[in-house]
Amino acid sequence: MPQITIHSRKLDRIADASSACLVIPVFEDSPIADDLAQLDKKLSGTVSRALDLGDFSAAVGTSAALVGDQKIKRMLLIGCGKADDFDNGKQKKFAETVGRVLAAGKAQEATVCLERLGLDAKELAGLVEAVATEIVYANYVYTRTLSKPKNLPKLAKVYIAAGSAISANKTKAAISSGMAIGSGINFARELGNLPANICTPRFLAKQARSLGRQHAKLSVSVLGEKKMRELGMGSLLSVGHGSDEPSQLIVLEYKGGKAKEQPYAIVGKGITFDTGGISLKPGPKMDEMKFDMGGAASVLGTVRAVAELNLPINVVGVVAAAENMPSGRATKPGDVVTSMSGQTVEILNTDAEGRLVLCDALTYVGRYKPREVVDIATLTGAIIVSLGHEASGIFANDDDLAEALLAAGQRSQDRGWRMPIWQEYQKQLDSKFADMQNIGTGGAGSVTAACFLARFTEQYKWAHLDVAGTAFRSAPKGATGRPVPMLVEYLRARSG
Ligand code: BES
Ligand code: MN
Ligand code: ZN
């Protein structure tokens, strides 16, 4: 895909601009004023006549494309809603609209004017970053397995004119952060979208290794099945047992902080395809289970963004990758396995496999003495019943960590919602034949899944993100890259 570039541009009067597409934010309550009035005059009233028609309301999320002249070929009015109501959420929607409309258009170059919004330096930095992120996001198209790529965006170069309230250096820094986050999100989307015959556990390992080669502060190691067997990861290994693809435990160590500083850990469920195993899933929509490595993809995307942002903290990313298949060697309902922690598990349903790979990865990550651990998993269909596709479920054994993730989700507009992991739910996991069983006995399926994980995370501060409803969409079908925005924002806040 052609790589898009985004630059900072100084623009004293928008009427003097020259651009293939001038992007102009417009408030509902003051549509034509000052600089826009100058531009309108220069173009003999094109803008005011368009507004008088009433087709463009300037509500957030709306846009109107106008023809300009020789210098300003096109104008794109983007709605911003009411001036005193242009909060974080509206700004994010505005940025999304800019990205979406530019990516759908024919212009190869565009200039986004932000000065007329009248924001202060801090708000502008946030908005410039959001606009850069959304432009990179919107410019991603899946092409990898198409013989003739289609819908390739024409857009190649974008200028952001943020105005004089913010320095050129701060604008440039905000653009590169935005691009780093956008690239991290798109990396996660691409891994999610790839079919499971390409994106196998070993493919994920390869992607991680190649990421490691691109960043000096990042080192990557991969444990194969033999090593995992030596470590006693009987639970993780039971999931890939029916598959011809060997399971992989991928470890990414980013060292942006002091050598001895404790790391933040993120651990992703990397089921590259979830058939359900012997507890086979029904046929319809089973293809969507190629997205069951969304947690792993978000770990790789986040580590990539963290490295590009050069955050001054240490981060350990762990991916538990396996393929869940039925076969003569597959784990059967009723089988009992021993996890790395020593706890035994009766596997009553081989389709509840995410927790089985995660529990061993969570035990393993304990050796890094992490400050906090966040796992990310497309863990349960039940979380979609609870929260739909808007919020990721947040479960935590520590209030401060839960608050940090909720706040990071709010700021990045990649939101989560807290769910309980009360002791009362734990008894659903009691088993006659092992220390616990891998499914609950009825109700609150997302909670009992989290309760299972909680039994392996007592030694550290831990949160679990259930992203089954947010990591991908069925229509239009595709990976969203969530919760990379939330995770990057959380780690950025933790790095001060
Ligand atoms: N990968 C699925 C969860 C899932 C469902 C993700 C829908 C995305 C969309 C997970 O491995 C699973 O199968 N969970 C079971 C658990 C059950 C057997 C206790 C579920 O949710 O039905
Ligand atoms: Mn499953
Ligand atoms: Zn699964």
Side-chain angles (χ1 to χ4, degrees):
M1 203 175 319
Q3 203 49 54
I4 192 152
T5 61
I6 309 180
H7 311 270
S8 163
R9 170 180 257 180
K10 187 164 153 33
L11 189 61
D12 290 327
R13 289 154 38 103
I14 63 172
D16 298 336
S18 105
S19 176
C21 182
L22 195 64
V23 180
I24 306 165
V26 179
F27 282 123
E28 249 169 54
D29 29 359
S30 57
I32 292 238
D34 315 328
D35 55 343
L36 190 50
Q38 285 169 10
L39 178 69
D40 185 47
K41 196 163 159 216
K42 185 183 166 200
L43 298 173
S44 337
T46 307
V47 181
S48 47
R49 271 182 282 121
L51 289 171
D52 286 345
L53 287 175
D55 302 359
F56 172 63
S57 72
V60 176
T62 65
S63 65
L66 309 181
V67 177
D69 60 8
Q70 275 308 313
K71 267 184 78 191
I72 298 173
K73 298 227 166 20
R74 305 170 180 81
M75 286 170 295
L76 207 54
L77 309 183
I78 308 283
C80 294
K82 297 225 158 55
D84 60 3
D85 194 28
F86 197 48
D87 58 15
N88 189 40
K90 304 268 169 44
Q91 293 184 20
K92 178 82 184 190
K93 285 218 174 71
F94 161 79
E96 254 169 48
T97 312
V98 171
R100 175 167 43 81
V101 179
L102 284 180
K106 295 272 188 264
Q108 290 180 24
E109 174 273 327
T111 299
V112 183
C113 311
L114 299 178
E115 182 159 29
R116 62 188 325 273
L117 289 166
L119 305 177
D120 63 24
K122 195 170 166 233
E123 279 185 303
L124 271 170
L127 185 59
V128 168
E129 182 182 293
V131 167
T133 300
E134 294 300 332
I135 286 172
V136 171
Y137 184 94
N139 238 45
Y140 164 82
V141 186
Y142 179 82
T143 59
R144 174 77 184 252
T145 46
L146 295 168
S147 66
K148 289 184 197 64
K150 50 187 178 206
N151 307 325
L152 287 183
K154 303 273 181 299
L155 191 69
K157 193 172 208 165
V158 176
Y159 296 99
I160 299 183
S164 48
I166 179 170
S167 71
N169 278 342
K170 288 226 164 86
T171 305
K172 280 181 198 156
I175 290 173
S176 32
S177 311
M179 292 185 76
I181 297 166
S183 312
I185 298 171
N186 285 350
F187 184 42
R189 291 165 80 194
E190 177 72 1
L191 293 173
N193 287 335
L194 283 169
N197 59 330
I198 294 178
C199 186
T200 59
R202 279 179 296 179
F203 180 88
L204 286 177
K206 209 168 146 192
Q207 294 296 308
R209 282 198 202 92
S210 108
L211 200 58
R213 283 192 291 275
Q214 285 158 44
H215 298 278
K217 294 178 183 168
L218 186 62
S219 51
V220 174
S221 54
V222 180
L223 311 192
E225 293 194 342
K226 182 160 174 279
K227 194 83 225 265
M228 289 193 268
R229 210 166 296 122
E230 285 164 20
L231 288 165
M233 296 187 168
S235 181
L236 191 158
L237 287 168
S238 74
V239 173
H241 222 233
S243 169
D244 290 344
E245 292 291 339
S247 302
Q248 308 273 288
L249 190 80
I250 307 163
V251 183
L252 305 98
E253 288 177 72
Y254 169 75
K255 290 224 155 67
K258 298 204 183 69
K260 289 255 161 67
E261 233 166 64
Q262 284 175 266
Y264 292 91
I266 49 179
V267 178
K269 168 179 173 182
I271 300 299
T272 58
F273 197 80
D274 181 12
T275 64
I278 297 298
S279 313
L280 192 64
K281 285 182 181 294
K285 295 222 263 176
M286 205 208 272
D287 65 290
E288 292 185 356
M289 284 302 116
K290 73 171 181 177
F291 296 120
D292 211 20
M293 34 56 71
S298 76
V299 167
L300 294 171
T302 299
V303 168
R304 173 172 163 161
V306 163
E308 276 178 29
L309 289 167
N310 201 21
L311 292 189
I313 48 170
N314 295 333
V315 176
V316 178
V318 175
V319 165
E323 189 184 62
N324 188 18
M325 294 286 279
S327 84
R329 284 172 26 96
T331 301
K332 305 165 291 296
D335 285 2
V336 175
V337 296
T338 304
S339 69
M340 185 182 173
S341 72
Q343 300 178 93
T344 59
V345 181
E346 184 188 16
I347 301 176
L348 288 182
N349 190 320
T350 63
D351 198 9
E353 84 297 339
R355 62 201 79 180
L356 296 175
V357 296
L358 282 172
C359 69
D360 280 340
L362 286 164
T363 300
Y364 181 79
V365 84
R367 65 170 56 187
Y368 290 93
K369 300 267 171 287
R371 270 206 201 174
E372 291 173 340
V373 178
V374 180
D375 80 66
I376 310 99
T378 47
L379 203 63
T380 65
I383 200 70
I384 308 175
V385 178
S386 308
L387 300 174
H389 303 281
E390 305 306 325
S392 304
I394 300 180
F395 302 80
N397 66 11
D398 182 82
D399 291 342
D400 179 61
L401 176 55
E403 288 299 328
L405 290 166
L406 279 164
Q410 196 60 42
R411 285 196 301 276
S412 60
Q413 289 291 294
D414 174 12
R415 288 177 295 185
W417 193 253
R418 191 158 183 196
M419 302 278 290
I421 38 172
W422 299 324
Q423 206 53 43
E424 285 79 354
Y425 293 101
Q426 284 286 1
K427 57 179 172 294
Q428 285 202 35
L429 299 176
D430 289 347
S431 159
K432 176 169 175 188
F433 299 107
D435 299 341
M436 70 195 88
Q437 58 187 43
N438 77 327
I439 53 169
T441 47
S446 310
V447 179
T448 50
C451 284
F452 181 95
L453 298 176
R455 296 179 179 220
F456 298 84
T457 58
E458 281 171 355
Q459 334 74 268
Y460 47 65
K461 294 178 182 175
W462 159 78
H464 155 62
L465 301 178
D466 194 335
V467 296
T470 53
F472 68 93
R473 260 192 300 265
S474 299
K477 197 180 289 190
T480 61
R482 291 178 72 180
V484 172
M486 182 204 287
L487 290 169
V488 172
E489 192 52 39
Y490 152 71
L491 290 171
R492 194 149 59 158
R494 286 300 194 229
S495 60

